[in-house]
Amino acid sequence: MATITRVGDPADPRVDDYRDLTTADRRPDRPGGRGLVIAEGVVVVRRLIESPYPVRSLLGVPRRLDELTDDLAALPVPAFSTSAETMAEVVGFHLNRGVLAVADRAAPPDVTALLRDARLVAVLEGVGDHENLGALFRNAAALGVDAVLLGPRCSDPLYRRSVRVSMGHVLRVPFAELPGPWPASMALLRAAGLRVAALTPAAGALPLASAGLAGERVALLLGAEGPGLTDEALDAADVRVRIPMAAGVDSLNVATAAAVAFYGLGCA
Amino acid sequence: MATITRVGDPADPRVDDYRDLTTADRRPDRPGGRGLVIAEGVVVVRRLIESPYPVRSLLGVPRRLDELTDDLAALPVPAFSTSAETMAEVVGFHLNRGVLAVADRAAPPDVTALLRDARLVAVLEGVGDHENLGALFRNAAALGVDAVLLGPRCSDPLYRRSVRVSMGHVLRVPFAELPGPWPASMALLRAAGLRVAALTPAAGALPLASAGLAGERVALLLGAEGPGLTDEALDAADVRVRIPMAAGVDSLNVATAAAVAFYGLGCA
């Protein structure tokens, strides 16, 4: 059971994990970054507690910690109770969600094991925007995606803003970097029996619903909004698919396009 | 053809339409609001020029106005050229898109005429978040929605932030308030031959793909993220439909759920 300890002094070293969050939440290879996994708000903190990431502690105002009483019952970590003002001083900005939890990173899952029974996986290339990445994980969780694989130039899904925008679903959907040089690394997808489909707004691509993917296990390649997938990624795919769109409309936001495609592949 | 005039003084009354934008872009019934339609950035300004809204003028840095040369050729309004600094002083904040255009509102389209040939319309209840509303219009434009009808408690789609998030598509997709008391006003939808389908995550709803809507003309009711549709709106619908979702996942963002449903109804 979590022990709840009152913290009144913002300089208290026991809450150092929460200090200056806007730099501390960066990856360890970035200046000031400690690479901890940080959850904000009751809903996301709950998902962190349920996740494989080892929780180190919580920091929150009493009312929010009270809401988490049941979740804390089986969690042998300290929970620090404080005022909103002290919390803001520690963190470096005002947090209106009133509760935070930090966890250590965990070893990424084994890609081969992830792919073995996967029916639908998302493979990302160059998705560098943390909010798009978070939204994409939320949509992946809702629409039954079994895993997300990161190709080159993707952001860190465990960055605080991605965690928040994903509503904590980056903590639930298994993800890992696709090992090996891109795009030859896609061979791993095929070796697992997946058809590699590249989502692109290009006119030459097949409409999603008539691309012959019904009943197939699919690895869906998704590129960044704007540039889209690189030519090398498109060339390496088994098939190019598109969401039929009205003339004169820019492509959809990448997370939205992904949601439509996840749905389309799920119900195809 | 637009006349390009250099403006050096931020107090120049000819650019009053752009003054203190964060209040001036509100509806005329709000304090300080003038209710003008404001487009930001080359892409959205271009959509405003192509829209039915009567453009009053443009304000931009020379480089951005140059990009719009072709669009301005047939547009008999003043274009004010200025520096980024002067623009920021007029507007009240720094605009990194470098060009703005303002237009007057136009009379809303006639709802009966809108519905006559519509195959798919979105009907919104309580969509109060400007960004969700903008994103929803972007998705509606991309996925072939013929019109958006506003039920109670929706935000103003022409508010600057919605215009921007929609990538200017609120200026292209016809919209109007659904007249009459809600939800009895839905009779107008049925009178036009549309089936009224309420999108809800509730377990009792039918999966979108098996709700018998294939080939039907549909009015899709959408509620705000979080509360969703009211009971009275759900009760007034002909059928309740849901997007099949993984257990334990919150509902999707309203604009994303709308995109999935627009796609599902379009390809059903």
Side-chain angles (χ1 to χ4, degrees):
Chain A
M1 188 176 144
T3 52
I4 297 188
T5 308
R6 181 81 197 167
V7 167
D9 177 6
D12 192 316
R14 292 174 297 179
V15 295
D16 276 354
D17 278 355
Y18 302 91
R19 206 167 298 291
D20 301 325
L21 265 197
T22 47
T23 53
D25 62 351
R26 293 185 192 145
R27 293 191 316 208
D29 53 340
R30 303 290 170 83
R34 289 197 294 268
L36 294 171
V37 183
I38 293 153
E40 301 166 80
V42 168
V43 170
V44 180
V45 165
R46 200 168 270 151
R47 295 219 163 101
L48 182 64
I49 292 171
E50 292 161 358
S51 80
Y53 299 98
V55 177
R56 294 160 64 97
S57 68
L58 286 84
L59 172 67
V61 299
R63 192 156 72 91
R64 296 299 169 216
L65 290 177
D66 284 350
E67 287 183 58
L68 289 161
T69 301
D70 290 350
D71 308 272
L72 295 178
L75 193 72
V77 304
F80 301 107
S81 174
T82 190
S83 67
E85 293 68 34
T86 301
M87 206 165 155
E89 282 191 65
V90 173
V91 168
F93 55 88
H94 181 72
L95 257 160
N96 56 13
R97 285 159 208 257
V99 63
L100 291 163
V102 294
D104 287 313
R105 296 196 174 219
D110 177 69
V111 173
T112 308
L114 268 191
L115 295 178
R116 194 170 297 129
D117 300 312
R119 219 199 56 76
L120 178 57
V121 304
V123 184
L124 313 186
E125 184 195 45
V127 178
D129 180 278
H130 286 110
E131 300 203 5
N132 283 344
L133 191 61
L136 195 148
F137 269 86
R138 180 182 178 188
N139 299 343
L143 297 162
V145 171
D146 297 302
V148 175
L149 295 175
L150 307 174
R153 300 184 315 288
C154 291
S155 291
D156 175 12
L158 294 178
Y159 180 71
R160 183 169 51 94
R161 194 142 45 94
S162 296
V163 174
R164 185 179 63 224
V165 173
S166 82
M167 310 278 283
H169 290 299
V170 297
L171 308 171
R172 290 172 48 133
V173 178
F175 71 88
E177 290 192 17
L178 187 63
W182 179 263
S185 48
M186 289 185 206
L188 206 59
L189 306 170
R190 283 194 197 87
L194 295 158
R195 286 257 285 165
V196 180
L199 187 67
T200 166
L206 297 170
L208 189 59
S210 52
L213 295 172
E216 298 266 352
R217 296 168 57 229
V218 174
L220 183 70
L221 302 189
L222 298 159
E225 190 172 344
L229 290 165
T230 59
D231 286 343
E232 56 177 5
L234 289 167
D235 288 345
D238 297 320
V239 59
R240 299 180 191 193
V241 297
R242 67 182 167 86
I243 297 165
M245 268 187 249
V249 179
D250 330 68
S251 61
L252 292 166
N253 166 285
V254 60
T256 306
V260 169
F262 296 155
Y263 173 80
L265 292 169
C267 76
Chain B
M1 187 179 147
T3 52
I4 296 187
T5 309
R6 182 81 197 167
V7 167
D9 177 5
D12 193 317
R14 293 174 298 181
V15 294
D16 277 352
D17 278 354
Y18 303 92
R19 204 168 300 290
D20 301 323
L21 264 198
T22 47
T23 54
D25 62 351
R26 294 188 191 143
R27 292 189 318 205
D29 53 338
R30 302 291 171 84
R34 290 198 294 270
L36 295 169
V37 183
I38 294 155
E40 301 166 79
V42 167
V43 170
V44 180
V45 165
R46 201 168 268 151
R47 295 217 164 104
L48 182 65
I49 292 171
E50 292 162 358
S51 81
Y53 300 96
V55 177
R56 294 161 63 100
S57 69
L58 285 84
L59 173 67
V61 300
R63 192 157 72 93
R64 296 300 168 214
L65 290 176
D66 284 351
E67 286 183 57
L68 289 160
T69 301
D70 290 350
D71 307 87
L72 295 178
L75 192 73
V77 303
F80 302 107
S81 174
T82 190
S83 67
E85 294 69 32
T86 302
M87 207 166 155
E89 282 193 65
V90 173
V91 168
F93 54 90
H94 182 72
L95 257 162
N96 57 11
R97 284 156 208 257
V99 64
L100 290 163
V102 294
D104 288 312
R105 295 195 174 218
D110 176 69
V111 172
T112 308
L114 268 191
L115 295 177
R116 195 170 296 130
D117 300 313
R119 219 199 57 75
L120 178 57
V121 304
V123 184
L124 313 185
E125 185 194 46
V127 179
D129 180 279
H130 286 110
E131 298 202 5
N132 282 344
L133 191 61
L136 196 149
F137 269 87
R138 179 182 177 187
N139 299 344
L143 296 162
V145 171
D146 297 302
V148 175
L149 295 175
L150 307 174
R153 301 184 315 287
C154 290
S155 292
D156 175 12
L158 293 178
Y159 180 71
R160 181 168 53 94
R161 195 143 44 96
S162 297
V163 174
R164 184 179 64 223
V165 173
S166 82
M167 309 279 282
H169 290 300
V170 296
L171 308 171
R172 290 171 47 131
V173 178
F175 72 88
E177 289 191 18
L178 186 62
W182 180 264
S185 49
M186 289 185 204
L188 206 61
L189 306 169
R190 285 195 196 87
L194 296 158
R195 286 257 285 165
V196 180
L199 188 67
T200 167
L206 297 170
L208 190 60
S210 53
L213 296 172
E216 298 266 352
R217 296 168 56 228
V218 173
L220 183 70
L221 303 189
L222 297 159
E225 190 173 343
L229 290 166
T230 58
D231 287 342
E232 56 176 6
L234 289 167
D235 289 345
D238 297 321
V239 59
R240 299 179 191 193
V241 297
R242 67 183 168 85
I243 297 165
M245 267 186 250
V249 180
D250 330 66
S251 60
L252 293 165
N253 167 287
V254 60
T256 306
V260 168
F262 296 155
Y263 173 81
L265 292 168
C267 76

